[in-house]
Amino acid sequence: IFSNCLGDHGWLFSSEAEVDEDMEGLIRVPDIEDRRHHKAQSGIRGEMGNVLLLLFLYVLQGIPLGLAGSIPLILQSKHVSYKDQAFFSFVFWPFSLKLFWAPLVDALYFSRFGRRKSWLVPTQYLLGLFMIYLSSTVDSLLQDEGGANVVMLTAVFFMLAFLAATQDIAVDGWALTMLSRENVGYASTCNSVGQTAGYFLGNVLFLALESADFCNKYLRIIPKDTGIVTLSEFLFFWGMVFLVSTTLVAIFKKENEQDKGKRKIPQETQGVLETYKLLISIVKMPTVFTFCTLLLTAKVGFSAADTVTGLKLIEAGVPKEQLALLAVPMVPLQILLPVLISRYTAGPRPLDIFYKAFPFRLLIGLEYAALVWWTPSVKQGPGSFPLYYYGIVLLSYALHQVALYSMYVACMAFHAKVSDPLIGGTYMTLLNTVTNLGGNWPSTLALWLVDPLTSKECQGVAGQSCGSTEEAALCTREGGVCTTTLDGYYVESVVCVVIGLIWWLWLGKKMRRLQEESPAAWKCKMNR
């Protein structure tokens, strides 16, 4: 629950209404012409079917993402190394990188089948088939003789995330033409609500129903050794849902007929090339290059707290399903925070809020480390902790969310403020992508460094060490016990806070000064 792996979604909704035909970038605005021919409905009731379909498609998108988010918690309960966790974290990169293939999804299609369905249908079929295949192999991948097969798990779930990101691009584009002009604003609501619901189903609900302890305590009269559902059963069920629902959409849901034959594949391909040239020209601008550099380094100070803390709590004995359930009471807070914070970021200097929230988020990282250190002392038994402990964890997480959303909303407000209006969609998407990448790479690095920074010794066997997995196994075979003398997580927590403070004192002020740049400094030269 301590890190957000969904990345930035809904890039299509950051477009501007009027964009030059040759520089449409990531959002092909000819969809506006489609809307002119779209039959307007009286209010939302006339299009409730389309709204429900969009909502369902976004829910489907959140399922594989939620399942991918649950795997690190399952792997941690199986005592995999943090290097393995770092390797699996690449699964969460596709949503941050979809900028690089989004123009292709938007441009290449079969006009007879439908511009969006050309990608949506095969993508969702592949998602369903992958999930059904995974349902027959996931148990063996998690319980391999030499431990969990992290490489194969990463490969399969990376493909699931890649397909979900591609489906997201197609659905976002379809939403703009599926709904009439007066109701198109509901598309973003379907996006946020659907993805959140899907992630909840694939993560929180799955972890709860998969846990024997949770099911025996809250849902059963007669205890059993397993949960109500297994990971393989959950994957198979949703795989079938994907296949059946995609078939129904392919047969019965038609795209707008008016746009058929109006756009040739070669013209779209030329637009794709223009998009990539445009991205390069934006990045070359001095102010944008400086800002992107700052975005790529700003989250280093938070990486240990955001990425490793939850796994360390599980390692300390906190049940993974209980951690997942703590995300439920956070939902109202996560809905209200952007609304409240936006009042303070709507002015000419939104990054002032970013700068002020930065040190508080660093301090919360130290509080997280103290929480992990304190956890074993309040443990009452296997997986048993007092109620006040969960209250403190919940309060810590709530404070973290306030700082996180303050920085996030401020950053998004600044993106909107400086983006060149003529190419707003491409500009905003580029800045959002860099922001997401600025969180991905420190998270992966933080996970990878935990083991090298950890010191262990073999007690009970003279001359034996626990520096590697093989040495630790040898220590155990000879009757010794590997004990941790210095946990790399605490080393990382301190180092990250120090790096974060240096960034805040030096580069943070430089980021604030970017607000003083003239609007012309943010204009793309191709548009001058």
Side-chain angles (χ1 to χ4, degrees), residues 84-119:
D84 287 336
Q85 292 280 16
F87 189 75
F88 188 82
S89 70
F90 284 107
V91 166
F92 307 121
W93 285 55
F95 262 89
S96 297
L97 298 173
K98 63 182 181 180
L99 163 73
F100 298 107
W101 70 90
L104 297 175
V105 174
D106 197 57
L108 307 177
Y109 59 92
F110 297 103
S111 58
R112 290 187 178 181
F113 189 54
R115 181 178 183 182
R116 307 304 176 183
K117 286 170 63 177
S118 295
W119 287 93

Side-chain angles (χ1 to χ4, degrees), residues 90-380:
F90 284 107
V91 166
F92 307 121
W93 285 55
F95 262 89
S96 297
L97 298 173
K98 63 182 181 180
L99 163 73
F100 298 107
W101 70 90
L104 297 175
V105 174
D106 197 57
L108 307 177
Y109 59 92
F110 297 103
S111 58
R112 290 187 178 181
F113 189 54
R115 181 178 183 182
R116 307 304 176 183
K117 286 170 63 177
S118 295
W119 287 93
L120 177 73
V121 171
T123 297
Q124 290 199 169
Y125 271 134
L126 286 174
L127 276 166
L129 292 174
F130 261 100
M131 294 176 80
I132 291 174
Y133 163 75
L134 194 56
S135 70
S136 63
T137 60
V138 68
D139 290 335
S140 61
L141 293 177
L142 287 170
Q143 300 172 3
D144 194 65
E145 292 182 1
N149 191 337
V150 177
V151 174
M152 277 301 299
L153 282 171
T154 302
V156 175
F157 277 96
F158 183 91
M159 183 55 66
L160 285 178
F162 174 80
L163 291 171
T166 305
Q167 189 252 25
D168 179 54
I169 298 167
V171 176
D172 285 348
W174 199 2
L176 296 178
T177 54
M178 186 184 296
L179 300 179
S180 62
R181 180 186 296 272
E182 64 180 18
N183 293 323
V184 74
Y186 286 97
S188 59
T189 304
C190 293
N191 183 310
S192 58
V193 173
Q195 286 181 351
T196 301
Y199 192 89
F200 179 87
L201 291 173
N203 188 280
V204 178
L205 182 64
F206 162 69
L207 288 173
L209 297 181
E210 186 262 350
S211 169
D213 292 337
F214 180 88
C215 294
N216 291 338
K217 186 176 182 179
Y218 299 107
L219 302 177
R220 286 183 177 140
I221 299 176
I222 301 176
K224 294 183 179 180
D225 295 332
T226 60
I228 293 177
V229 298
T230 63
L231 180 56
S232 59
E233 292 170 346
F234 198 83
L235 283 165
F236 182 82
F237 170 79
W238 283 106
M240 292 303 300
V241 171
F242 266 93
L243 294 182
V244 173
S245 61
T246 303
T247 301
L248 294 176
V249 170
I251 296 175
F252 296 107
K253 181 60 181 176
K254 305 297 183 183
E255 289 195 49
N256 296 333
E257 297 293 330
Q258 288 82 359
D259 64 344
K260 289 187 176 181
K262 287 195 174 184
R263 279 181 270 292
K264 305 291 185 180
I265 295 288
Q267 294 176 346
E268 297 286 4
T269 304
Q270 185 179 7
V272 171
L273 295 177
E274 290 296 327
T275 296
Y276 290 124
K277 292 178 182 178
L278 182 58
L279 289 172
I280 294 172
S281 68
I282 294 173
V283 173
K284 285 182 177 180
M285 296 163 56
T287 50
V288 175
F289 183 81
T290 300
F291 187 48
C292 288
T293 302
L294 295 172
L295 290 175
L296 286 172
T297 55
K299 296 180 183 178
V300 174
F302 316 125
S303 56
D306 291 0
T307 310
V308 188
T309 301
L311 301 178
K312 278 295 176 181
L313 291 178
I314 294 174
E315 184 180 319
V318 180
K320 60 183 183 297
E321 64 276 5
Q322 295 292 348
L323 277 183
L325 287 171
L326 288 179
V328 177
M330 287 295 102
V331 173
L333 181 64
Q334 292 168 341
I335 294 173
L336 290 174
L337 279 174
V339 178
L340 297 175
I341 296 169
S342 62
R343 297 179 180 179
Y344 302 96
T345 60
R349 299 181 62 87
L351 290 183
D352 287 353
I353 300 298
F354 180 98
Y355 185 80
K356 292 175 181 177
F358 198 97
F360 290 100
R361 189 171 170 187
L362 289 176
L363 290 176
I364 292 171
L366 290 179
E367 190 271 335
Y368 272 6
L371 179 66
V372 172
W373 176 82
W374 178 60
T375 296
S377 64
V378 296
K379 188 177 181 180
Q380 297 176 334

